[in-house]
Amino acid sequence: MSLQQIIDRRLSGKNKSIGNRERFLRRHKEQIREAVKRAVDGRGIRDMERGEDVHIPKKDLSEPVFGHGDGGVREVVRPGNQEYVKGDRIAKPKGGQGGGGSGSGEASDSGEGDDDFVFHLSKEEFMQVFFDDLALPNLARTTLADTPEWKSQRAGFVSDGTPTNLHVVRSMRGALGRRIALGMDKRRELHELQAREQDLLKEDRPETPRLLAETRERIAHLRARLEAIPFLDPIDLRFRARTRIPVPTTRAVMFCLMDVSGSMDEGRKELSKRFFILLYLFLTRHYEKIEVVFIRHHTQAQEVDEQNFFHATETGGTVVSSALVLMEQIIRERYSPTEWNIYGAQASDGDNWHHDSGRCRELLAGKILPLCRYFAYVQVAEPEQNLWEEYEKLAEDQPHFAMRKAVEASQIYPVFRELFKKEGAAA
């Protein structure tokens, strides 16, 4: 039996140990997950794809060690003791700069201080932890986390390249310009000497034969120099240059609709934000330009910025159709379906005024879905409300409409499993 050994000699990036870094991430997984969760709560949807600094207390970095004591009863004389005698009890050190606290620096009344260790998560590591919480399959992680595909596009001309990319016309134009530039002074002098030769032929002086011979010798030299200029030189060659650009060439708009009535607490809003982030990440891999429109609603709908969208609260009832009406109005005014790929994402706890749910279904079926490439609805509460029942009727005959319930982050992805299939990517 033969024994085969495989040695991995690949270098770690930037002199860092990849193995140690992965072990560190596994060991402090909980602190890292908490840091990512805080980052998701504090960041905007458009600002998800970057790294994060993770602050880990010094006490969590300690490792168990074995130590051997001196054993027995021993008397030790410590130099510099002017305060204690045998039998005294030594008090615990007080906190502060020289005390036993694990932090550094003085106490602060602003709630801030220096942590003992700061670890920076890269963009890829941050997205990996974010996807772990959403329970995405590996192929979907790859589709969302990797960079988009590229295509080749013409980008002018370069002096180096393969023969298949040689541009003959541009090369010959450069060669002609070079020959004109290099022979300009010689041709000017040649024309002057030829005119002088004609004048000498008309003269009858003793020195005329000598001058005529010198002139003809110079003319022959200049003609030889002009003929020595190469017709085509390597510096004249020009090759077609190509550059890589992202495949997406179109633009999309993402409408985020969310209920902000009193029944939508912070936990449900956090689930909704995860839902919107996942859709935005999906769109960034398909489109070059993406705009996001935030519409919040209770009994009335309003277009707001992202800060007010996720953090403002209202009291009172819910009329979902007001958000759909405003969405349809904004599409008609600013986002022509012939120029934009329109996506809708709605999050709600399902609570709605009873007589309004039927109108929501009619608005979606008659006005909004014909304009959208895809519309996804997620209910962040388990009980089935009248809005859920009406949307179920709509989902039966609308291929680009999906609806799911999600009471925790790992339940959000099934909505996008259908989205990936409809967009041509397997889940």
Side-chain angles (χ1 to χ4, degrees), residues 162-402:
T162 60
T164 56
N165 290 330
L166 178 65
H167 195 280
V168 178
V169 175
R170 191 64 179 256
S171 300
M172 296 305 296
R173 186 186 305 169
L176 178 61
R178 176 186 53 81
R179 293 197 305 271
I180 292 175
L182 292 178
M184 182 179 299
D185 294 339
K186 298 178 181 64
R187 291 189 188 89
R188 184 183 300 113
E189 185 180 357
L190 179 62
H191 293 323
E192 294 175 354
L193 290 174
Q194 288 174 342
R196 182 182 178 186
E197 181 185 17
Q198 295 299 323
D199 294 338
L200 290 174
L201 290 174
K202 298 175 183 179
E203 295 180 359
D204 186 13
R205 295 183 299 171
E207 65 273 13
T208 298
R210 180 179 59 81
L211 295 176
L212 186 59
E214 293 176 355
T215 302
R216 288 175 176 175
E217 182 182 357
R218 181 60 179 170
I219 290 175
H221 175 73
L222 290 176
R223 285 176 175 172
R225 292 288 303 274
L226 289 172
E227 292 176 356
I229 297 176
F231 180 79
L232 187 65
D233 194 89
I235 64 174
D236 303 327
L237 299 181
R238 292 296 178 267
F239 300 86
R240 298 180 183 89
R242 309 193 73 88
T243 185
R244 294 198 316 158
I245 62 172
V247 170
T249 56
T250 53
R251 51 187 180 176
V253 57
M254 171 181 163
F255 283 87
C256 299
L257 287 68
M258 187 172 67
D259 179 10
V260 293
S261 60
S263 58
M264 287 287 289
D265 56 22
E266 290 300 322
R268 292 176 175 177
K269 287 183 179 179
E270 181 183 346
L271 280 178
S272 302
K273 187 172 184 179
R274 299 293 186 94
F275 171 60
F276 296 136
I277 288 173
L278 197 56
L279 178 57
Y280 181 79
L281 291 175
F282 171 78
L283 294 180
T284 56
R285 298 308 182 259
H286 288 70
Y287 300 99
E288 185 176 15
K289 178 181 180 181
I290 302 175
E291 291 192 9
V292 185
V293 178
F294 298 99
I295 299 177
R296 47 172 281 189
H297 70 89
H298 41 95
T299 55
Q300 296 179 345
Q302 183 182 10
E303 181 181 0
V304 296
D305 57 20
E306 187 171 350
Q307 177 68 22
N308 290 326
F309 182 76
F310 286 110
H311 300 289
T313 58
E314 299 288 345
T315 59
T318 305
V319 180
V320 178
S321 64
S322 61
L324 299 177
V325 170
L326 180 57
M327 175 180 174
E328 194 262 343
Q329 178 183 345
I330 294 175
I331 292 175
R332 300 292 184 187
E333 293 177 355
R334 289 156 35 191
Y335 302 102
S336 171
T338 60
E339 300 177 0
W340 292 82
N341 294 280
I342 302 172
Y343 288 81
Q346 181 181 2
S348 172
D349 60 357
D351 188 18
N352 190 28
W353 184 45
H354 180 73
H355 299 289
D356 185 63
S357 297
R359 187 177 180 221
C360 293
R361 175 173 56 82
E362 296 173 356
L363 284 170
L364 278 174
K367 294 187 176 181
I368 293 181
L369 289 182
L371 306 177
C372 294
R373 285 184 56 91
Y374 193 79
F375 192 98
Y377 169 73
V378 62
Q379 181 172 298
V380 292
E382 186 63 35
E384 295 186 1
Q385 306 282 356
N386 50 17
L387 183 62
W388 179 268
E389 297 173 356
E390 292 292 338
Y391 277 3
E392 278 187 322
K393 301 176 184 177
L394 188 64
E396 295 175 357
D397 55 354
Q398 293 290 343
H400 51 287
F401 176 79

Side-chain angles (χ1 to χ4, degrees), residues 4 23 60 152 303 383 422:
Q4 183 180 10
R23 284 193 293 272
D60 293 338
S152 180
E303 181 181 0
K422 290 181 175 64

Side-chain angles (χ1 to χ4, degrees), residues 58 96-97 99-105 114-116:
K58 184 177 180 181
Q97 181 68 27
S102 61
S104 60
D114 295 331
D115 287 301
D116 298 280

